[in-house]
Amino acid sequence: MSTALQILQTTFGFTHFREPQQAIIEAVVSGNDAFVLMPTGGGKSLCYQIPALVRPGCGVVISPLIALMQDQVTALQQLGIRASFLNSTLDAQSAAAVEDALLNGELDLLYLAPERLNQTRTSALLESATLSLFAIDEAHCVSQWGHDFRSDYLQLEQLQQRFPSVPRVALTATADARTQQEIIDRLGLEHAAQFVVGFDRPNIQYRIGLKNNPRQQLLRFLKDEHPQDAGIVYCLSRKKTEETAQWLTEQGFDALPYHAGLSAEIRAAHQARFLRDENVIVVATIAFGMGIDKPDVRFVVHLDLPKTVESYYQETGRAGRDGAPATAWMIYGLQDVIKLRQMMQSSQGSEQHKRLEQHRLNAMLGLCEITSCRRQSLLHYFGEDYPQPCGNCDSCLDPAKTWDATEACRMALSAVARTGERFGVNHLIDVLRGKETEKMWQFEHHLLPTFGVGTALDNNQWRSVFRQLVGRSYLSVDMEGYGALKLQEQCRPLLRGEVAIALRVDQKQKVVKRQTKTPLPEEVDVGLWEALRECRREQAEEQGVPPYVIFHDSTLIEMCTLLPQTHDEFANLTGVGERKLLKYGDAFLVAIRRAQDEAAT
Ligand code: ADP
Ligand code: ZN
């Protein structure tokens, strides 16, 4: 029997385990149950795949992501692992073949849709087979408190009674404390070994900037940093996703819209293009994302502000699953805040629900307006300590300048107070800057002591002051639809002159790190990189699989820097196991040699 480490090296082509894979694998191999909370991209799959290979029998993986099963199984078969799946996409004959294989002991891993567990046929099948383990993927789906509850998952409660000697491992990337407890209760995992790893995604660079000319800002960002990468652009409205996709297409990008208003066929087609190709941009509403398991998404853009930090983190988390550098890029402005606040006020829910939503939005705004490390603040929100500034967010890379805005804020707040908390930003700025408009005469605001006191700042600077006062909850936005600003309790000490306040100086968004293509380190020869991508494309086409199933970007980058010349050297690359060495070694070695020859002549 091979050991876990041997399998890691020879089958998967990785040199060592990541924390805490080894401990999880040891627990499951020795027959214990386990509960695993690890961030996306952390390496959860190996935690059940390797035990399934070490233990006798077949490992059963329960997953709600039916659309992905085919790709997951193909990727495993590429490694020489005997994997199959059973779900509603199979016809009766293919399903029968899979069942036979299971009963004959010819399978290492079987992916199963949760609704199958309700069928007596499946129960009988599983009872007559030798099973090495149950892996319950996306385990948060069993929790009614969590946001992806699936009733089929409730069936999983019975596994423990029906298969008492088969170890179960439950895995998830998104579960707050309450959801974790519910998973453990429902699945009967009180005695399971528990592994809770932090939420941090170190390879994602978080950047949040100010919206001034969104299309041009987006274009600059894409051209400078991700000219040929796959990514997701999130917008608030369906209309905007279509317009933005159309516009990006005119600018030469391969962009597709995605929202719940498109037909199922179009959505499926766009999603398939995104998964299979390497440089498709999907411009989407939040309808896009659940189960998007594409490892090489290099950027996630937010053109509109998400409503909560949770959604921001989940959406940006779709970038960089392969561990290579990726960017989470967002721009926002005062209008976003006003629009969201009004949407929430006019929504159906109870007052309590609305208050909770406002509360969550405030946290999101807080994240936008802070001048310290974004990652520290994000992780803190999820209850985690991150001791030092991260060095990989815009606050760390390009520290925001602040200015003493005490005087300006007092002027702004007093303009709000003296006009009776009934006016929106534009009029308030006119008052401060002493503009003699018709509205001014109508309400006699030219007679106020605040009229014209603020000529030292221009319109944009005043907008920035108001945005930050709203963002930091000194002001609230009126519910009735005109966007009138109102004073909040916490501005009193400021108005009375008892405290000072520093605000962020709004800068035009700078390019933080200029790169031709994101994942490329400087020493990589772009010609060789392109040649290897081409080689990978050819192989993928031949096999009918997405390119990343052949090799991840990180393996290609290693080829570019280590320049292997022999089979032995090739076998040392991360992600090259025995099977892939045999299958692809020659093709890539030839491509490397050819590119080197060309460079030399
Ligand atoms: P998760 O399911 O937690 O989101 P995956 O299991 O898909 O993450 O793993 C994420 C990536 O990390 C995959 O590309 C996987 O091959 C890689 N990976 C996992 N474990 C290791 C390891 N020990 N060494 C190198 N790469 C690893
Ligand atoms: Zn930081």
Side-chain angles (χ1 to χ4, degrees):
M1 195 170 70
S2 317
T3 66
L5 185 62
Q6 279 168 350
I7 294 177
L8 179 79
Q9 292 171 344
T10 56
T11 303
F12 291 91
F14 301 142
T15 52
H16 56 274
F17 283 113
R18 291 184 184 158
E19 269 306 310
Q21 285 174 329
Q22 190 166 4
I24 300 170
I25 290 170
E26 275 168 11
V28 180
V29 165
S30 55
N32 292 314
D33 297 334
F35 171 79
V36 177
L37 174 67
M38 238 195 238
T40 306
K44 285 186 285 299
S45 328
L46 289 186
C47 299
Y48 56 83
Q49 288 165 349
I50 291 183
L53 294 172
V54 174
R55 287 174 62 87
C58 174
V60 175
V61 185
I62 316 286
S63 164
L65 310 176
I66 292 173
L68 299 176
M69 283 187 185
Q70 177 71 64
D71 280 353
Q72 286 170 326
V73 163
T74 311
L76 287 167
Q77 288 170 344
Q78 288 277 326
L79 299 170
I81 295 171
R82 302 173 304 169
S84 274
F85 64 88
L86 277 178
N87 65 31
S88 51
T89 66
L90 285 187
D91 58 41
Q93 201 181 351
S94 325
V98 173
E99 291 170 8
D100 283 347
L102 174 67
L103 293 175
N104 294 335
E106 292 160 6
L107 283 184
D108 302 314
L109 277 162
L110 174 66
Y111 284 72
L112 201 65
E115 62 270 18
R116 291 250 153 185
L117 280 177
N118 307 348
Q119 302 169 0
T120 35
R121 183 186 174 88
T122 314
S123 306
L125 176 75
L126 294 181
E127 264 149 29
S128 8
T130 311
L131 303 182
S132 55
L133 55 86
F134 283 106
I136 300 160
D137 207 5
E138 314 290 342
H140 58 278
C141 293
V142 78
S143 154
Q144 269 156 327
W145 167 256
H147 49 314
D148 288 327
F149 173 66
R150 310 252 168 156
S151 52
D152 286 323
Y153 260 61
L154 293 178
Q155 293 299 318
L156 301 175
E157 295 177 17
Q158 300 167 11
L159 288 179
Q160 189 176 26
Q161 285 82 45
R162 280 166 50 198
F163 303 92
S165 59
V166 181
R168 295 164 304 137
V169 47
L171 312 104
T172 177
T174 49
D176 59 14
R178 192 161 160 186
T179 310
Q180 287 173 40
Q181 194 52 50
E182 200 181 339
I183 297 172
I184 289 168
D185 292 345
R186 286 199 178 275
L187 298 179
L189 292 171
E190 294 82 7
H191 302 293
Q194 301 205 7
F195 302 90
V196 176
V197 182
F199 283 95
D200 187 26
R201 301 286 312 280
N203 60 313
I204 298 183
Q205 183 176 93
Y206 296 100
R207 282 156 53 192
I208 301 179
L210 205 68
K211 197 186 278 187
N212 38 54
N213 185 344
R215 285 194 170 174
Q216 287 311 317
Q217 288 173 289
L218 175 63
L219 191 62
R220 273 285 305 272
F221 168 69
L222 293 177
K223 283 194 165 160
D224 287 350
E225 302 184 47
H226 295 282
Q228 297 187 49
D229 291 333
I232 307 174
V233 175
Y234 282 110
C235 309
L236 208 54
S237 73
R238 295 175 180 185
K239 183 156 162 270
K240 186 162 165 189
T241 64
E242 299 209 357
E243 289 169 357
T244 309
Q246 166 80 29
W247 180 77
L248 282 175
T249 307
E250 284 158 18
Q251 304 302 314
F253 290 92
D254 196 350
L256 301 168
Y258 190 105
H259 59 74
L262 295 170
S263 72
E265 296 87 75
I266 292 185
R267 271 182 290 153
H270 288 185
Q271 173 165 337
R273 282 280 322 281
F274 180 67
L275 290 177
R276 304 239 150 209
D277 290 354
E278 294 183 271
N279 53 3
V280 170
I281 299 174
V282 168
V283 186
T285 61
I286 51 170
F288 185 72
M290 173 65 180
I292 299 301
D293 206 355
K294 185 177 167 65
D296 54 352
V297 176
R298 296 267 66 86
F299 63 88
V300 169
V301 163
H302 281 95
L303 289 182
D304 295 305
L305 197 64
K307 289 186 195 134
T308 65
V309 178
E310 283 91 345
S311 4
Y312 173 74
Y313 206 62
Q314 195 172 41
E315 284 149 22
T316 54
R318 293 178 182 132
R321 274 172 173 259
D322 55 8
T327 323
W329 187 89
M330 179 166 92
I331 47 176
Y332 83 109
L334 182 56
Q335 273 317 311
D336 291 279
V337 181
I338 293 177
K339 206 157 61 186
L340 275 185
R341 287 242 152 111
Q342 286 171 344
M343 262 170 64
M344 283 181 185
Q345 279 307 329
S346 57
S347 77
Q348 296 302 316
S350 65
E351 277 311 307
Q352 195 198 353
H353 178 74
K354 284 183 188 170
R355 254 202 312 278
L356 199 71
E357 279 196 319
Q358 291 286 0
H359 205 73
R360 291 185 160 155
L361 177 60
N362 287 346
M364 185 64 224
L365 288 172
L367 177 70
C368 295
E369 295 294 356
I370 52 156
T371 48
S372 55
C373 175
R374 309 262 192 214
R375 190 180 313 270
Q376 273 185 319
S377 166
L378 266 171
L379 293 175
H380 179 75
Y381 183 84
F382 293 109
E384 220 177 280
D385 250 357
Y386 194 90
Q388 258 115 45
C390 74
N392 194 24
C393 72
D394 58 340
S395 298
C396 286
L397 292 165
D398 185 17
K401 293 192 190 62
T402 58
W403 59 295
D404 180 355
T406 313
E407 204 43 47
C409 288
R410 287 178 62 192
M411 289 179 188
L413 296 173
S414 111
V416 173
R418 289 185 189 275
T419 53
E421 305 180 77
R422 292 192 295 127
F423 294 87
V425 185
N426 292 330
H427 181 67
L428 292 168
I429 294 178
D430 287 346
V431 171
L432 287 161
R433 304 203 63 238
K435 207 164 156 195
E436 310 210 351
T437 62
E438 209 168 295
K439 209 168 175 179
M440 210 60 72
W441 298 105
Q442 187 190 339
F443 293 99
E444 300 197 326
H445 286 164
H446 60 293
L447 303 175
L448 295 175
T450 16
F451 183 74
V453 294
T455 45
L457 301 188
D458 67 19
N459 269 331
N460 280 335
Q461 288 167 319
W462 277 119
R463 288 190 79 78
S464 160
V465 169
F466 279 108
R467 191 196 74 243
Q468 296 185 62
L469 286 172
V470 173
R472 290 159 67 160
S473 299
Y474 287 92
L475 290 173
S476 65
V477 182
D478 185 34
M479 11 233 102
E480 256 79 74
Y482 300 105
L485 298 182
K486 291 187 181 297
L487 300 179
Q488 293 287 85
E489 204 39 50
Q490 67 150 323
C491 70
R492 306 282 165 210
L494 197 57
L495 267 175
R496 287 197 299 263
E498 293 164 7
V499 293
I501 180 171
L503 292 183
R504 162 190 282 271
V505 178
D506 287 340
Q507 297 160 320
K508 286 243 165 72
Q509 271 227 329
K510 276 193 248 145
V511 176
V512 172
K513 223 165 44 182
R514 234 192 150 89
Q515 293 157 320
T516 40
K517 286 189 204 76
T518 315
L520 281 194
E522 253 166 50
E523 65 273 20
V524 166
D525 178 77
V526 178
L528 174 57
W529 167 253
E530 288 301 340
L532 293 180
R533 285 205 348 162
E534 181 56 33
C535 179
R536 178 171 67 176
R537 235 180 334 259
E538 283 166 11
Q539 297 292 334
E541 217 152 89
E542 217 164 275
Q543 310 269 329
V545 298
Y548 62 77
V549 168
I550 309 286
F551 287 125
H552 280 183
D553 283 355
S554 51
T555 306
L556 293 199
I557 290 174
E558 267 194 48
M559 290 185 205
C560 290
T561 49
L562 299 177
L563 301 170
Q565 306 292 318
T566 64
H567 279 175
D568 278 351
E569 287 170 5
F570 198 81
N572 281 332
L573 300 171
T574 309
V576 179
E578 283 172 346
R579 181 60 70 102
K580 287 196 172 171
L581 172 65
L582 265 174
K583 240 175 147 168
Y584 305 118
D586 286 332
F588 281 88
L589 284 171
V590 168
I592 293 169
R593 217 162 303 141
R594 200 179 291 147
Q596 283 181 312
D597 289 348
E598 268 167 30
T601 54

